Amino acid sequence: MTDAQVIVVGAGPVGLTAALLLARWGVRVLVVDQRPGREPAGSRSICQQRDVLDIWAACGAGRIAEEGLAWTTARTYYRGEELFSWTFGGPPGEGALPACVNLSQTRTEEILDAALAAQPLAELRWDHQVTGLEQDGERVTVRCGERVLRAPYAVLCAGSRAEGLRRALGVTFDGESFADRFLICDIRADLPGWEHERRFHFDPVWNPGRQVLIHPCPGSTYRIDWQIPSHSAPTGEEVAEKIRMIVGDRDYELLWQTTYRFHARVASRMRAGRVLLAGDCAHLVAPFGARGLNSGVPDAENAAWKLAFVLNGWAPEDLLETYHLERHAAALENLEVTAATMRFLAPRTDEERARRRAALEEALATGRPAGVDSGRFAEPFWYVDSPLTTPDPGRPFRGRPAKGASCDPGPGVILPDLPVPGGRLRQSCRNGFLILLGEMCDSGLFAQVLGKVCTAPLAVRELAEMDGFGKLAERLGAGPGEAWIVRPDAHIAATIPHAGPESVAAAVRRASRLS
């Protein structure tokens, strides 16, 4: 038995993040995992995007950003010739967090484990294989052999192979698998000039007709991905030869290797009654663009604040349905982006192969990247169509931004992480709703009215009061009579021009599913 309010199934990075965030909201949470204990196993998911680092910083795992290697440049090659390169950009003064870091999943999990161990409201139990999952109108029953655990809600973060649990919930996992496999190796070597660069090779002489991707990691380690034929099973000698073609005569140490096949699948539902599905259990995409873990962690955050609001009586249970609506849409967006990348990386028809070859030849001749797709890097999803978002006709969403660009701030978009005295703007966002007011708004009056219609944690702040650098309103594009409503996951729920307390209260009620 357990007194937990939420049971999290799976102690990977997504499950640990969900547990940490739930505990941060004051929710008692139990994590169960079928393994006997933590099993360090290579780099696996290594790229952590800025907005995910921000979530981890909020739940006590800021060491991930501190220990990760912040790479800055991505170089792309075709048959040994450099086509182009790009560097991570972003608004000036975006804050202390790097755009991206590389850190092995093994180390990420160790840091999250330590944060969970320090959290009195969270418990992790190993050797708990879930053999049954049932629910009724009041609770979820999780069976682990003869052990029976019950809680009002559960979050399923049990990975891609949780077919039996998905089936028990009536959830399908439709999609496809790609024929080619990938050989992954972690090596330690001294490669001067490569320490902060990701290198992507199309059709190199040492892997003709296919791709090789090289990522730097901390401690002079590198992750190398080779695309290999589906029937290939490289011997130790062949692996050594492949590595030697990249590093030359330098000494190196092989730390870990594996092979795997890419999949593109999305669960039919990410909410099944009192159970929410997250991470690889809910969606699988090709890793080019790092959209796996960088989508799973936002799943965990979205699930955690909504479960906390329901459990604390701040919102109706119907709020949980918006978890499916928002994160399923994000999963489909990732699937569309990565499917286009895989059509370029692994063309299946003569037409696709001809298009790929023409794009690469043009890039080689012109130095322009148009048409070459080696993966669009992970980005926060935009909840512009969510029922929790109040549209602003003056800030229409202009669609998916250009590669490497950010959406303009507006309803449904994540709040820019701008510098404010003492830290970053988003550090004020994760304790409840945040109301940002222009200089013509009376914060005292707004706080008085909002306190009568919203029982959830809520803070009312004047932009001028927070703006020690004199440019916050300008950077946001906020007018003097506007109010900005920011959700607990730092997404903007509404921007209201000529704001009055009643219109802001209506937007807050909408964002918490109270109306």
Side-chain angles (χ1 to χ4, degrees):
M1 304 299 293
T2 176
D3 62 353
Q5 296 168 282
V6 178
I7 297 173
V8 174
V9 180
V14 175
L16 293 172
T17 302
L20 285 166
L21 291 169
L22 284 164
R24 187 177 182 275
W25 281 106
V27 174
R28 297 187 306 279
V29 58
L30 171 65
V31 183
V32 296
D33 195 286
Q34 66 180 356
R35 295 169 293 178
R38 185 67 66 199
E39 300 169 349
S43 54
R44 293 172 290 160
S45 293
I46 60 170
C47 296
Q48 291 93 19
Q49 190 248 13
R50 171 187 285 138
D51 305 283
V52 168
L53 299 176
D54 181 36
I55 295 171
W56 280 332
C59 64
R63 287 192 63 84
I64 297 173
E66 296 170 8
E67 292 189 16
L69 184 144
W71 60 278
T72 56
T73 302
R75 300 190 184 278
T76 301
Y77 300 83
Y78 176 49
R79 295 180 177 173
E81 297 288 331
E82 183 171 345
L83 297 180
F84 51 83
S85 66
W86 57 269
T87 58
F88 279 112
E94 178 101 359
L97 292 175
C100 171
V101 302
N102 283 357
L103 188 66
S104 74
Q105 184 173 328
T106 294
R107 181 56 185 149
T108 295
E109 289 173 341
E110 289 175 350
I111 294 171
L112 292 170
D113 279 341
L116 194 74
Q119 177 51 257
L121 291 177
E123 180 185 357
L124 170 57
R125 297 184 190 175
W126 298 103
D127 198 23
H128 276 57
Q129 181 176 1
V130 177
T131 55
L133 195 61
E134 304 161 9
Q135 57 180 315
D136 55 30
E138 296 183 354
R139 62 188 178 182
V140 179
T141 300
V142 178
R143 301 186 182 277
C144 304
E146 296 182 356
R147 292 168 289 199
V148 179
L149 306 170
R150 296 186 177 93
Y153 297 99
V155 183
L156 198 57
C157 308
S160 61
R161 298 177 181 175
E163 185 58 37
L165 300 181
R166 283 190 295 264
R167 191 183 307 116
L169 296 169
V171 173
T172 61
F173 202 43
D174 300 325
E176 62 176 327
S177 300
F178 295 93
D180 276 15
R181 293 193 302 159
F182 285 77
L183 167 67
I184 312 300
C185 289
D186 293 344
I187 68 167
R188 179 175 288 115
D190 183 17
L191 301 175
W194 295 29
E195 299 93 334
H196 297 277
E197 295 185 354
R198 186 219 72 177
R199 298 185 172 213
F200 196 110
H201 290 266
F202 285 102
D203 196 15
V205 293
W206 22 273
N207 200 34
R210 289 182 167 83
Q211 282 72 241
V212 176
L213 177 63
I214 307 166
H215 263 281
C217 295
S220 297
T221 61
Y222 294 84
R223 153 81 170 264
I224 309 176
D225 296 41
W226 287 268
Q227 184 184 7
I228 59 176
S230 58
H231 62 274
S232 177
T235 65
E237 184 176 333
E238 289 170 335
V239 170
E241 183 180 358
K242 287 179 178 293
I243 296 173
R244 186 63 66 194
M245 288 179 178
I246 294 175
V247 305
D249 294 333
R250 297 180 180 89
D251 291 337
Y252 75 88
E253 178 185 1
L254 176 61
L255 304 174
W256 176 74
Q257 74 176 71
T258 190
T259 58
Y260 67 100
R261 179 173 282 114
F262 293 164
H263 307 274
R265 300 184 182 277
V266 176
S268 55
R269 291 279 304 173
M270 289 182 64
R271 179 207 177 194
R274 292 178 168 270
V275 181
L276 307 183
L277 287 73
D280 286 354
C281 189
H283 43 75
L284 285 175
V285 296
F288 297 101
R291 288 174 174 256
L293 181 58
N294 285 307
S295 184
V297 171
D299 287 348
E301 181 178 42
N302 196 296
W305 81 261
K306 291 174 180 177
L307 283 167
F309 269 49
V310 172
L311 285 164
N312 285 309
W314 301 330
E317 190 170 77
D318 186 47
L319 179 65
L320 299 182
E321 181 61 17
T322 68
Y323 170 76
H324 165 73
L325 294 174
E326 292 182 345
R327 296 311 301 166
H328 195 258
L332 293 176
E333 169 75 12
N334 285 331
L335 190 66
E336 180 180 342
V337 170
T338 55
T341 299
M342 287 307 295
R343 284 194 296 272
F344 191 86
L345 297 183
R348 301 181 179 183
T349 66
D350 289 342
E351 182 182 357
E352 288 180 352
R353 282 186 282 272
R355 188 181 305 121
R356 167 193 149 115
R357 186 167 53 251
L360 289 168
E361 295 289 352
E362 181 181 355
L364 185 61
T366 65
R368 293 193 296 269
V372 176
D373 188 349
S374 58
R376 178 184 171 116
F377 195 63
E379 58 206 327
F381 188 64
W382 35 87
Y383 301 134
V384 293
D385 296 322
S386 169
L388 305 185
T389 301
T390 300
D392 179 358
R395 287 187 175 84
F397 181 64
R398 305 187 187 282
R400 185 187 298 164
K403 181 177 178 179
S406 300
C407 296
D408 293 334
V413 175
I414 197 166
L415 188 71
D417 198 13
L418 302 175
V420 295
R424 300 177 287 109
L425 179 58
R426 281 201 214 148
Q427 290 173 314
S428 307
C429 295
R430 290 191 162 87
N431 297 316
F433 284 108
L434 174 64
I435 315 300
L436 299 174
L437 300 176
E439 59 188 28
M440 294 178 61
C441 299
D442 184 341
S443 60
L445 177 61
F446 277 78
Q448 183 179 5
V449 172
L450 290 170
K452 296 178 181 179
V453 300
C454 178
T455 57
L458 183 146
V460 179
R461 302 287 301 275
E462 295 180 8
L463 284 169
E465 166 201 348
M466 302 177 69
D467 195 0
F469 304 105
K471 294 185 178 180
L472 185 55
E474 178 185 343
R475 291 281 302 280
L476 290 175
E482 287 187 347
W484 289 47
I485 295 91
V486 184
R487 302 174 3 164
D489 57 4
H491 282 261
I492 302 165
T495 56
I496 302 177
H498 315 296
E502 293 77 15
S503 59
V504 172
V508 171
R509 289 179 61 84
R510 178 172 181 165
S512 50
R513 207 65 163 167
L514 293 169
S515 61

